[in-house]
Amino acid sequence: AVLAEVGARADVALVTGGLGPTEDDLTSAAAARAAGVPLDMNDAVLDAIQVYFKRRNIPMPASNRRQALLPRGADILGNPVGTAPGFSMVIGRCRFCFMPGVPFEMERMFRDQVQPILWKMLGPDHPVHETRTLTTFGLTESATGERLQGLSAAFPGVRLGLRANFPEIQVKLYGTGDDPAALSLLLDAAAAWAATQLGNKVFSMDGASMAEVVGRLLRQRKATLALAESCTGGLIASRLTDVPGSSEYFLLSAVTYANEAKSAVLGVPADTISRSGAVSIETAKAMAKGVRRVAGATYGLSVSGIAGPGGGSPEKPVGTVCIGLAGPAEATGHEFRLRFASRGMNKSMFAMKALDTLRRELMRGE
């Protein structure tokens, strides 16, 4: 019913998901019913699915044959990175493009096969659309918006959008025009203006993650890094090693969760922990210095905090995190109160704050 309703009012509809092999994958059947056509077994699609499993030396489950049952007359959108084929067809007055729900499969299919369909439908005289993205950390969405008041007045034709992607805020600048070169210059100028308004809260203007940005800075300085993680449990190391080539600068991560491990592995004096506590600037600095020494790294970065939901106190509530950074010249420590709704959110914020602390240090003097 929804497909038929959309088909009566829209020119184009993009649909994702429901193309898998299980009983609840009903997209193909729904599309066929909405178009008033039967489902047919597509031999070419079935062959492609069988080849997919054969190349991986995995027996093909019988249920995967369901993925080759497609609405009669549909144009097939091949899936080189998965088993679910996409397809395109007209329902009512609308061109529908059905894609898998798995993000990397959908993105590949959209880029390679659906986008050309849309450009062809628009014709040669379609307007140009461009986007710039600034990724920020350290401001709320509302505070980010307040700093960017006046952008539309200063740059007519540029539309501002904000997207919260915890713990980041993405600033999107959208432009439409007939002259690609002029539009690109306009968006570049608007992005530069926005970056000035947001200052060092902007860490990327090309879509790079915080871990990628930190990796670039370490590589540029021919510097290396070692981590001592407590409350984040290896999360910072995971993010750093998600970046290809991180072995050039990332040496070691020690998840010293217990106080005894902080002393035995990193050499943190037991009296420092007993006097100041595991979550303290003094302990965080000692952890950073210790892991830098153990690994022989240019920088040692440490985190120790209270992620919750329990474990806090009036003096050190849940959300308290101490970050230590030891470099060639000195060791510094910082304490932050960053309480969020869940343990996972707190850990994510702690990791981001630690990486941002290192980023700011690496950018000093630029």
Side-chain angles (χ1 to χ4, degrees):
V2 172
L3 295 178
E5 187 267 326
V6 171
R9 63 177 170 82
D11 297 312
V12 178
L14 307 181
V15 186
T16 64
L19 301 179
T22 58
E23 292 291 333
D24 61 341
D25 288 307
L26 300 172
T27 297
S28 296
R33 184 179 297 182
V37 299
L39 287 171
D40 290 334
M41 178 62 68
N42 188 301
D43 292 334
V45 169
L46 181 59
D47 288 345
I49 295 171
Q50 290 171 334
V51 167
Y52 179 90
F53 282 98
K54 186 176 181 179
R55 285 177 177 169
R56 287 158 179 76
N57 294 316
I58 302 172
M60 188 184 94
S63 61
N64 282 92
R65 290 178 58 87
R66 289 169 47 88
Q67 293 179 292
L69 279 171
L70 298 170
R72 182 175 295 175
D75 299 319
I76 306 305
L77 304 175
N79 184 354
V81 291
T83 62
F87 59 94
S88 176
M89 64 188 298
V90 174
I91 300 174
R93 54 167 285 221
C94 180
R95 167 63 65 178
F96 281 80
C97 295
F98 296 89
M99 297 172 284
V102 179
F104 78 92
E105 295 182 33
M106 178 273 291
E107 291 164 4
R108 173 76 175 268
M109 188 177 292
F110 177 82
R111 184 182 69 244
D112 294 351
Q113 299 183 69
V114 175
Q115 202 164 349
I117 293 173
L118 304 183
W119 289 130
K120 185 176 180 180
M121 292 178 70
L122 284 169
D125 298 324
H126 62 79
V128 177
H129 303 274
E130 276 202 46
T131 307
R132 297 289 185 275
T133 300
L134 291 75
T135 313
T136 73
F137 174 72
L139 291 174
T140 63
E141 188 173 3
S142 57
T144 303
E146 288 173 3
R147 290 201 183 190
L148 297 178
Q149 287 181 355
L151 184 142
S152 297
F155 301 93
V158 176
R159 181 168 58 88
L160 171 67
L162 299 178
R163 176 175 180 263
N165 182 29
F166 185 87
E168 306 167 359
I169 301 293
Q170 290 184 338
V171 176
K172 298 275 190 177
L173 304 178
Y174 303 96
T176 303
D178 298 321
D179 184 336
L183 178 61
S184 184
L185 288 173
L186 175 65
L187 283 172
D188 286 345
W193 182 89
T196 299
Q197 299 302 112
L198 296 169
N200 62 10
K201 306 299 183 182
V202 177
F203 66 82
S204 171
M205 296 184 69
D206 61 2
S209 68
M210 179 69 83
E212 288 175 306
V213 170
V214 167
R216 290 176 188 172
L217 291 169
L218 288 167
R219 188 180 285 112
Q220 289 167 8
R221 287 153 181 72
K222 296 181 171 54
T224 54
L225 174 67
L227 297 174
E229 300 188 60
S230 183
C231 54
T232 48
L235 183 57
I236 304 173
S238 177
R239 291 185 177 177
L240 286 169
T241 55
D242 281 342
V243 180
S246 53
S247 58
E248 293 180 35
Y249 48 82
F250 181 53
L251 303 184
L252 168 72
S253 175
V255 182
T256 51
Y257 210 65
N259 290 342
E260 293 80 6
K262 293 177 177 64
S263 297
V265 176
L266 304 175
V268 178
D271 63 344
T272 298
I273 298 174
S274 61
R275 181 179 66 252
S276 302
V279 180
S280 65
I281 289 176
E282 292 78 7
T283 297
K285 286 171 61 176
M287 290 169 65
K289 289 190 288 187
V291 79
R292 178 177 182 264
R293 174 183 51 78
V294 169
T298 313
Y299 292 96
L301 180 65
S302 71
V303 285
S304 184
I306 306 167
S313 67
E315 296 77 22
K316 295 179 182 179
V318 170
T320 301
V321 64
C322 293
I323 297 171
L325 179 60
E330 60 179 349
T332 58
H334 311 271
E335 180 177 307
F336 303 98
R337 303 287 173 89
L338 304 169
R339 183 168 188 170
F340 288 88
S342 70
R343 181 178 180 85
M345 292 178 75
N346 282 325
K347 288 176 66 176
S348 181
M349 181 60 76
F350 294 170
M352 194 74 164
K353 194 70 176 177
L355 287 172
D356 191 50
T357 299
L358 176 58
R359 176 185 72 92
R360 290 168 181 256
E361 173 64 25
L362 292 170
M363 292 185 67
R364 281 204 310 177
E366 282 200 350

Short mmCIF file of all heavy atoms in Angstrom, two decimals, residues 296-332:
data_model
loop_
_atom_site.label_atom_id
_atom_site.label_comp_id
_atom_site.label_asym_id
_atom_site.label_seq_id
_atom_site.Cartn_x
_atom_site.Cartn_y
_atom_site.Cartn_z
N GLY A 296 58.87 3.49 24.44
CA GLY A 296 59.85 4.29 23.72
C GLY A 296 59.20 5.20 22.70
O GLY A 296 59.76 5.46 21.62
N ALA A 297 58.01 5.71 23.02
CA ALA A 297 57.24 6.52 22.09
C ALA A 297 57.51 8.01 22.28
O ALA A 297 58.00 8.45 23.33
CB ALA A 297 55.75 6.26 22.29
N THR A 298 57.19 8.78 21.26
CA THR A 298 57.31 10.23 21.37
C THR A 298 56.30 10.77 22.37
O THR A 298 56.60 11.67 23.16
CB THR A 298 57.07 10.89 19.99
OG1 THR A 298 57.81 10.21 18.99
CG2 THR A 298 57.47 12.35 20.03
N TYR A 299 55.07 10.21 22.30
CA TYR A 299 54.00 10.66 23.18
C TYR A 299 53.37 9.47 23.91
O TYR A 299 53.21 8.40 23.33
CB TYR A 299 52.89 11.39 22.40
CG TYR A 299 53.32 12.71 21.82
CD1 TYR A 299 53.76 12.80 20.50
CD2 TYR A 299 53.27 13.87 22.59
CE1 TYR A 299 54.16 14.00 19.97
CE2 TYR A 299 53.68 15.10 22.05
CZ TYR A 299 54.12 15.15 20.75
OH TYR A 299 54.52 16.35 20.23
N GLY A 300 53.03 9.71 25.17
CA GLY A 300 52.22 8.77 25.93
C GLY A 300 50.91 9.43 26.29
O GLY A 300 50.90 10.57 26.77
N LEU A 301 49.80 8.76 26.03
CA LEU A 301 48.47 9.31 26.29
C LEU A 301 47.72 8.35 27.21
O LEU A 301 47.71 7.13 26.97
CB LEU A 301 47.71 9.47 24.98
CG LEU A 301 46.29 10.04 25.04
CD1 LEU A 301 46.29 11.49 25.53
CD2 LEU A 301 45.63 9.94 23.66
N SER A 302 47.09 8.88 28.25
CA SER A 302 46.42 8.02 29.21
C SER A 302 45.02 8.54 29.54
O SER A 302 44.75 9.74 29.43
CB SER A 302 47.23 7.90 30.50
OG SER A 302 47.18 9.13 31.22
N VAL A 303 44.15 7.60 29.95
CA VAL A 303 42.82 7.96 30.44
C VAL A 303 42.49 7.11 31.66
O VAL A 303 42.76 5.91 31.68
CB VAL A 303 41.71 7.75 29.37
CG1 VAL A 303 41.76 8.82 28.32
CG2 VAL A 303 41.81 6.38 28.73
N SER A 304 41.90 7.76 32.66
CA SER A 304 41.40 7.06 33.83
C SER A 304 40.15 7.80 34.28
O SER A 304 40.20 9.02 34.49
CB SER A 304 42.44 7.04 34.95
OG SER A 304 41.99 6.28 36.05
N GLY A 305 39.03 7.09 34.37
CA GLY A 305 37.79 7.80 34.68
C GLY A 305 36.73 6.89 35.24
O GLY A 305 36.95 5.71 35.50
N ILE A 306 35.54 7.45 35.40
CA ILE A 306 34.39 6.73 35.97
C ILE A 306 33.27 6.77 34.93
O ILE A 306 32.60 7.79 34.76
CB ILE A 306 33.93 7.38 37.29
CG1 ILE A 306 35.11 7.50 38.25
CG2 ILE A 306 32.79 6.57 37.91
CD1 ILE A 306 34.84 8.39 39.45
N ALA A 307 33.08 5.66 34.23
CA ALA A 307 32.12 5.61 33.14
C ALA A 307 30.71 5.31 33.61
O ALA A 307 29.75 5.52 32.86
CB ALA A 307 32.56 4.57 32.10
N GLY A 308 30.56 4.78 34.83
CA GLY A 308 29.24 4.52 35.38
C GLY A 308 28.68 3.17 34.96
O GLY A 308 29.35 2.38 34.32
N PRO A 309 27.44 2.90 35.36
CA PRO A 309 26.54 3.82 36.06
C PRO A 309 26.85 3.98 37.54
O PRO A 309 26.38 4.92 38.18
CB PRO A 309 25.17 3.17 35.87
CG PRO A 309 25.47 1.71 35.71
CD PRO A 309 26.77 1.62 34.99
N GLY A 310 27.66 3.07 38.12
CA GLY A 310 28.05 3.20 39.52
C GLY A 310 29.49 3.65 39.64
O GLY A 310 30.18 3.91 38.65
N GLY A 311 29.96 3.73 40.87
CA GLY A 311 31.37 4.03 41.11
C GLY A 311 31.68 5.48 41.38
O GLY A 311 32.82 5.80 41.71
N GLY A 312 30.71 6.37 41.21
CA GLY A 312 30.98 7.78 41.43
C GLY A 312 30.85 8.17 42.89
O GLY A 312 30.41 7.40 43.74
N SER A 313 31.26 9.40 43.18
CA SER A 313 31.16 9.96 44.53
C SER A 313 30.87 11.45 44.38
O SER A 313 31.01 12.01 43.28
CB SER A 313 32.47 9.76 45.29
OG SER A 313 33.50 10.54 44.71
N PRO A 314 30.48 12.13 45.46
CA PRO A 314 30.26 13.58 45.34
C PRO A 314 31.50 14.32 44.84
O PRO A 314 31.38 15.31 44.10
CB PRO A 314 29.90 13.99 46.77
CG PRO A 314 29.30 12.75 47.37
CD PRO A 314 30.09 11.61 46.78
N GLU A 315 32.67 13.86 45.23
CA GLU A 315 33.90 14.53 44.80
C GLU A 315 34.26 14.18 43.36
O GLU A 315 34.78 15.02 42.61
CB GLU A 315 35.07 14.15 45.71
CG GLU A 315 34.91 14.59 47.16
CD GLU A 315 33.96 13.68 47.94
OE1 GLU A 315 33.76 12.52 47.52
OE2 GLU A 315 33.41 14.14 48.96
N LYS A 316 33.99 12.91 43.00
CA LYS A 316 34.30 12.45 41.64
C LYS A 316 33.08 11.70 41.10
O LYS A 316 33.00 10.48 41.16
CB LYS A 316 35.53 11.54 41.64
CG LYS A 316 36.82 12.26 42.07
CD LYS A 316 38.01 11.32 42.09
CE LYS A 316 39.26 12.06 42.57
NZ LYS A 316 40.44 11.16 42.63
N PRO A 317 32.14 12.45 40.56
CA PRO A 317 30.91 11.80 40.08
C PRO A 317 31.14 11.02 38.79
O PRO A 317 32.19 11.16 38.13
CB PRO A 317 29.98 12.99 39.83
CG PRO A 317 30.89 14.14 39.56
CD PRO A 317 32.11 13.91 40.41
N VAL A 318 30.16 10.18 38.46
CA VAL A 318 30.19 9.48 37.17
C VAL A 318 30.36 10.51 36.06
O VAL A 318 29.72 11.56 36.06
CB VAL A 318 28.89 8.67 36.97
CG1 VAL A 318 28.81 8.14 35.54
CG2 VAL A 318 28.81 7.53 37.97
N GLY A 319 31.23 10.20 35.12
CA GLY A 319 31.54 11.14 34.04
C GLY A 319 32.85 11.87 34.23
O GLY A 319 33.31 12.57 33.32
N THR A 320 33.46 11.69 35.40
CA THR A 320 34.77 12.29 35.63
C THR A 320 35.84 11.50 34.87
O THR A 320 35.88 10.28 34.95
CB THR A 320 35.12 12.31 37.12
OG1 THR A 320 34.12 13.04 37.83
CG2 THR A 320 36.49 12.93 37.37
N VAL A 321 36.69 12.19 34.15
CA VAL A 321 37.79 11.53 33.46
C VAL A 321 39.04 12.38 33.59
O VAL A 321 38.97 13.62 33.54
CB VAL A 321 37.47 11.28 31.97
CG1 VAL A 321 37.29 12.59 31.21
CG2 VAL A 321 38.55 10.42 31.31
N CYS A 322 40.16 11.71 33.81
CA CYS A 322 41.45 12.38 33.87
C CYS A 322 42.29 11.89 32.70
O CYS A 322 42.38 10.68 32.45
CB CYS A 322 42.15 12.13 35.19
SG CYS A 322 41.29 12.88 36.59
N ILE A 323 42.89 12.83 32.00
CA ILE A 323 43.68 12.52 30.79
C ILE A 323 45.10 13.01 31.01
O ILE A 323 45.31 14.16 31.42
CB ILE A 323 43.06 13.20 29.55
CG1 ILE A 323 41.65 12.63 29.30
CG2 ILE A 323 43.95 13.02 28.32
CD1 ILE A 323 40.88 13.38 28.24
N GLY A 324 46.04 12.12 30.78
CA GLY A 324 47.45 12.48 30.89
C GLY A 324 48.11 12.45 29.53
O GLY A 324 47.78 11.60 28.69
N LEU A 325 49.03 13.38 29.32
CA LEU A 325 49.77 13.43 28.05
C LEU A 325 51.22 13.72 28.36
O LEU A 325 51.55 14.77 28.93
CB LEU A 325 49.19 14.50 27.13
CG LEU A 325 49.88 14.67 25.78
CD1 LEU A 325 49.82 13.38 24.96
CD2 LEU A 325 49.25 15.82 24.99
N ALA A 326 52.09 12.79 28.00
CA ALA A 326 53.52 12.95 28.21
C ALA A 326 54.20 13.06 26.85
O ALA A 326 53.99 12.21 25.98
CB ALA A 326 54.08 11.77 28.99
N GLY A 327 55.01 14.10 26.68
CA GLY A 327 55.73 14.30 25.43
C GLY A 327 57.19 14.53 25.67
O GLY A 327 57.68 14.37 26.81
N PRO A 328 57.92 14.92 24.66
CA PRO A 328 59.36 15.13 24.82
C PRO A 328 59.71 16.21 25.83
O PRO A 328 60.75 16.14 26.49
CB PRO A 328 59.81 15.54 23.40
CG PRO A 328 58.75 15.01 22.49
CD PRO A 328 57.48 15.07 23.26
N ALA A 329 58.83 17.21 25.98
CA ALA A 329 59.18 18.33 26.85
C ALA A 329 58.62 18.19 28.26
O ALA A 329 59.31 18.49 29.24
CB ALA A 329 58.67 19.64 26.23
N GLU A 330 57.36 17.72 28.38
CA GLU A 330 56.73 17.71 29.69
C GLU A 330 55.56 16.74 29.70
O GLU A 330 55.16 16.21 28.65
CB GLU A 330 56.21 19.12 30.04
CG GLU A 330 55.17 19.64 29.05
CD GLU A 330 54.65 21.02 29.42
OE1 GLU A 330 54.92 21.47 30.55
OE2 GLU A 330 53.95 21.61 28.59
N ALA A 331 55.01 16.54 30.89
CA ALA A 331 53.79 15.76 31.05
C ALA A 331 52.73 16.67 31.65
O ALA A 331 53.00 17.42 32.59
CB ALA A 331 54.02 14.56 31.96
N THR A 332 51.54 16.60 31.09
CA THR A 332 50.44 17.41 31.57
C THR A 332 49.25 16.52 31.90
O THR A 332 49.13 15.40 31.39
CB THR A 332 50.01 18.46 30.53
OG1 THR A 332 49.63 17.79 29.32
CG2 THR A 332 51.14 19.43 30.24
#
